[in-house]
Every structure is written in structure tokens, then in C-alpha cells.
Amino acid sequence: MNKEIRNDWSKEEIQAIYDKPLLELVYQAATVHRNWHKPSEIQVCTLLSVKTGGCPEDCSYCGQAARYHTDIKVQALLPTETVLEHAQKAKDGGSSRFCMAAAWREVRDNKDFDRVIEMVKGVNDLGLEVCCTLGMLTEEQAIRLQEAGLYAYNHNLDTSESYYDEIISTRKFDQRLDTINNVRKAGITVCSGGIIGLGETPADRVSMLATLATMPTHPESVPVNALARVKGTPLENNPKVPLWDMVRMIATARITMPASVVRLSAGRIEMTEEEQAWCFMAGANSIFTGERETLLVTPNPGLSEDMQMFQNLGLKPLTKERKSSCSVV
């Protein structure tokens, strides 16, 4: 059994993997998956928007950008007690990770950040892996989060470096890498992936995976998102991402980053149970669930629906001892 982790992938190597005949690709990915993980175990993560809308960024896919006219209602930072109630409910439902998302461009050293620190401490005390996605972070802010018990920080690349400016103009690709580096330095695990269906080419997808797979340490979690088309955003009329494109992305991520958790993230609401099964076969071993059948501000399957799917497919929620937040998605 080969347990080698490589950080020296070339784009040509990754492209060759991505372009393999589909069934051969899935077979290889499934084999790698079984060498590194228990294929019947899926980590269930709950994502809660603790501050919604009003973001000054111009991410073309995001309904929370203040400049787009969407039906999403702006919501101020939730009370800590409310967040902890959601976290307890998530734990009771089988989640082992609880992620809190705030629609900020960057973290500011103010009372709102102090409140997030208290939320992190509270969720950590519940015995859950606690994750945040709050926008750009300085190293000092990352250290504060780590000291509060933060286990993981989500900061997606979104797309390739060459296509990035077509999707976002209010920040640079390198700024995303800077935040990931700050998270690493603080001893927090990294959760970083991207979105397909933005109008990018297969080469852009491979380039994004290459950026992740050649990091000195691979992200511990790699979310693969299909564009959730939000009415009122510039990408609202983009076509639905084909299933086989998702399968290829998941399989390629699994092969190039074998130890990472690969998360089937946004877009599941448009997938049948059979289509999701293909993604699990290709190496996905994590999903996001959300209360009220939402994932942040877009539709998502409900927890009961997911548990029925697990039963049908012979899967079960991953249960594990909580790791130290100092361990290095």
C-alpha cells in the first residue's frame, strides 16, 4: 500500500489524471481512498451563517455581496447564545465539525471579533471541531483564534490564479494565499478548495488543484463546490455543473491529496442520491449540512434526508476524538 504524499505535482501530471477515462479515474481514486480512509465513514459538518449579507466584495457568484440585488436578507452578527444552541443541535444530529461563517471582507479587531472569539471558545467546549470563515486574517488574528480553540479555518481559492480576476476584483489571488499562510503559522488546520461552474476551463480547474496539491502541507480539508446560481448575481444564468465534472474534480483531488478530507459541498441540492453516490465512490468523504435546509444562503438537503441517504448507501457519520487545535483543510 503506497502511503506517499507528494507536494511536487506538475500541472501536466494533474491534467493527465483529470483527463483519464472516467471509470478508470474513479477506480483509481476509490483505491487511493481506501488506502487512506474508511470508505464507509463520512464527516458531517454543519455550516451556520453567523453574519449574513452586506459584504463589500464583488465575488460574481455570491448573493451576499451588497452591490447585487438578491433576495438575501442582511443579518447582523448572531448572539453567542444562539450560535451555541445551533452548535449543540448540530452535535446532537451527528455533526463532528461546526463552521461559523461571517460575510466580512476581512477580520477587524473590534467588538464583533471579540464576540466571534467567545463563540469559538463555546463551540470548542462542546467537543466539536470548530471552524470559521471570516475573510482575510492577519497572523495575529489567527493566533487569537487558535488560542480560543479554533481547529480549522476555511478560505477557498475559488478558482485558478489566471481566471481569478474574471470573478473577483476587490482582492487578489495572492491575498488568499497570504491568509492561508497566516492560518498555517498559527497552527490552525486549513480548509481550502474551490468552485466549478464559474465559466472556467478544465485547465483552470487543474491549475487550482495544482496550487493546493503543491502547498508544503496539503489543506486538511478540500471542499469541492458546484456553483449555486443565485438570482441577482452576475453568474445567475450559468449552466448547471455536469455531474461528471464534479466526479472528475473530486477524484483528482483525492488522488493528488490522498490524506485530505475531500468535501462534497455546494451544489448537492441539485444532485440525486445516485449522483452523490458517484461522488462518494470517487473519494468524497465529507458533506456540509445546514439547519433549515440551507447552506449559508442557498438551498441544501436536510439532515434527515442525508441520514436516509447514508442508510441507503451503507454510510455512517464519522465519529472521532477531537484533535488539538494546534494540529496542522
Side-chain angles (χ1 to χ4, degrees):
M1 181 173 63
N2 182 10
K3 298 286 279 189
E4 176 190 11
I5 292 180
R6 288 183 54 190
N7 305 83
D8 61 348
W9 295 97
S10 68
K11 288 183 182 178
E12 291 75 19
E13 286 178 301
I14 298 175
Q15 187 74 60
I17 293 170
Y18 183 91
D19 289 338
K20 281 190 174 192
L22 183 71
L23 296 184
E24 181 182 342
L25 173 63
V26 172
Y27 177 77
Q28 182 181 350
T31 302
V32 171
H33 186 59
R34 280 155 177 75
N35 285 344
W36 289 84
H37 306 272
K38 294 181 179 179
S40 63
E41 293 186 342
I42 305 293
Q43 184 180 34
V44 179
C45 309
T46 296
L47 180 61
L48 176 68
S49 180
V50 297
K51 185 271 179 182
T52 305
C55 182
E57 300 269 41
D58 68 351
C59 307
S60 300
Y61 54 81
C62 185
Q64 299 197 67
R67 68 192 67 202
Y68 304 138
H69 300 290
T70 68
D71 295 330
I72 294 166
K73 296 180 181 179
V74 175
Q75 169 195 282
L77 192 65
L78 292 174
T80 302
E81 297 76 15
T82 301
V83 172
L84 296 183
E85 288 171 4
H86 283 286
Q88 183 63 60
K89 186 174 181 180
K91 181 180 180 180
D92 294 343
S95 290
S96 60
R97 176 176 292 194
F98 188 77
C99 187
M100 297 175 286
W104 293 333
R105 181 176 189 270
E106 69 268 311
V107 171
R108 299 183 183 276
D109 295 308
N110 56 22
K111 291 181 179 179
D112 279 350
F113 186 40
D114 293 340
R115 288 175 57 196
V116 169
I117 292 293
E118 292 306 310
M119 294 174 190
V120 170
K121 291 178 179 177
V123 175
N124 187 56
D125 287 344
L126 292 175
L128 288 161
E129 289 181 358
V130 54
C131 175
C132 282
T133 178
L134 312 169
M136 292 185 287
L137 275 183
T138 66
E139 186 176 351
E140 292 73 21
Q141 290 164 340
I143 290 171
R144 280 194 69 191
L145 286 165
Q146 188 274 336
E147 290 174 343
L150 190 72
Y151 177 78
Y153 195 81
N154 168 259
H155 204 64
N156 289 332
L157 299 181
D158 288 348
T159 189
S160 70
E161 183 173 10
S162 62
Y163 192 64
Y164 189 82
D165 290 345
E166 299 295 321
I167 301 301
I168 305 163
S169 70
T170 48
R171 78 168 88 171
K172 298 298 181 183
F173 189 82
D174 284 347
Q175 290 178 296
R176 293 196 176 268
L177 298 179
D178 289 343
T179 290
I180 291 171
N181 289 332
N182 290 336
V183 167
R184 277 275 178 233
K185 291 176 187 175
I188 300 169
T189 68
V190 172
C191 175
S192 186
I195 308 168
I196 65 172
L198 304 175
E200 76 289 341
T201 65
D204 287 315
R205 297 172 183 178
V206 165
S207 178
M208 181 188 71
L209 289 175
T211 299
L212 297 169
T214 56
M215 289 179 174
T217 301
H218 293 161
E220 283 77 12
S221 296
V222 180
V224 179
N225 297 276
L227 173 67
R229 296 160 291 172
V230 179
K231 186 177 181 180
T233 63
L235 302 184
E236 66 173 309
N237 294 318
N238 278 28
K240 178 181 179 291
V241 173
L243 167 67
W244 304 127
D245 288 12
M246 284 292 285
V247 170
R248 286 190 180 280
M249 281 295 290
I250 288 168
T252 307
R254 170 53 63 220
I255 293 166
T256 56
M257 294 173 278
S260 301
V261 170
V262 177
R263 184 172 300 124
L264 174 58
S265 297
R268 286 200 303 121
I269 192 67
E270 294 191 80
M271 290 184 179
T272 65
E273 189 173 287
E274 293 82 1
E275 289 174 329
Q276 293 181 69
W278 271 101
C279 295
F280 296 134
M281 179 63 73
N285 59 342
S286 178
I287 60 171
F288 265 134
T289 187
E291 288 192 41
R292 300 182 297 275
E293 301 185 350
T294 59
L295 190 65
L296 291 185
V297 294
T298 56
N300 194 64
L303 181 60
S304 60
E305 187 178 345
D306 286 334
M307 292 304 103
Q308 182 62 56
M309 175 179 68
F310 280 14
Q311 183 176 340
N312 293 343
L313 298 179
L315 302 173
K316 60 184 179 181
L318 172 68
T319 56
K320 58 183 178 180
E321 293 183 4
R322 182 178 49 166
K323 300 176 182 177
S324 166
S325 61
C326 296
S327 62
V328 180
V329 151

